[in-house]
Amino acid sequence: TVQMYWEPLFRKEQLTGFILVHRDITTEYNADKMKSELVSTVSHELRTPLASILGFTELLLKKTLSPERQQKYLNNIYQESKRLTALINDFLDLQRMESNKQDYFREKLKIYPLLKEVLEELSVHSSNHQLKLEVKDTEVEMYGDKDKLKQLFQNIIQNAIKYSPHGGEVITRVDLNEDNLIIKVVDFGLGIPREAIPQLFTKFYRVDNTDRRKIGGTGLGLSISKEIVRAHQGQISVESELGIGTTFIIQLPKTETPKIIKEQGSKKS
Ligand code: ADP
């Protein structure tokens, strides 16, 4: 994209001519385009739950309804409000992380108890899944932000559960090499179509097919996960086969390399 304009030319304060200036504004143009796309996606994502909340509230106010109907509509309003809150919180978290404004607290931690805690919390709501944890060295330590790492594993393991709607095993395995912890989260659920994999970590991206239409989500979990891994100087990748299952692989350095992480960061909540 090129911007053109005439620049006046002066000599000894006398106007002597004009210069035609061509300026390449592709970068600005693309940034603007991305910004307006983001604004329209965000407004769409906010409007959808808000429209349901308004609709059900109107029904409750206008009509004489049976107590069962009232209960049903109130429950819909409650669920949509929860979705809206989660969406706004996720979106703000992600904005803060992407603009490097997120403080990370740096501490020495053991990965085994952290994963155990995440799995115990998730198992309360997933009775038809067997959540397994395989760790050879339960004492292994690393440096990082405990809360943020917890959020990362919650996202990935919760997805493994959510996208295995018929139940089954979800295995979290920790391996080690010289410098890194390698954490794999394996499920035997719906899997991911090959063509969706490159877009998986894009904001608001959700795989759209009939199998998963009923499964709730914001499409922000994996973008947040990617940011947390980035802050810890790690890597995240995925292997998946449709109808067979999915493995997320997270590599985190064991040693004291993290750059973004602040030594005695004032924790923002
Ligand atoms: P969402 O809120 O939709 O779960 P995420 O960013 O966490 O958003 O994930 C993006 C999409 O990736 C999901 O909508 C889902 O289709 C797909 N996905 C993520 N994890 C898995 C998994 N373990 N198995 C199958 N599909 C997955």
Side-chain angles (χ1 to χ4, degrees), residues 159-160 162-163 187 191-192 200 205-207 212 217-222 246 248:
N159 275 351
K162 208 163 75 168
Y163 296 105
D187 71 60
I192 300 163
L200 220 55
Y205 179 78
R206 305 198 70 210
V207 178
R212 46 194 110 204
T218 61
L220 292 175
L222 286 181
T246 304
F248 276 87

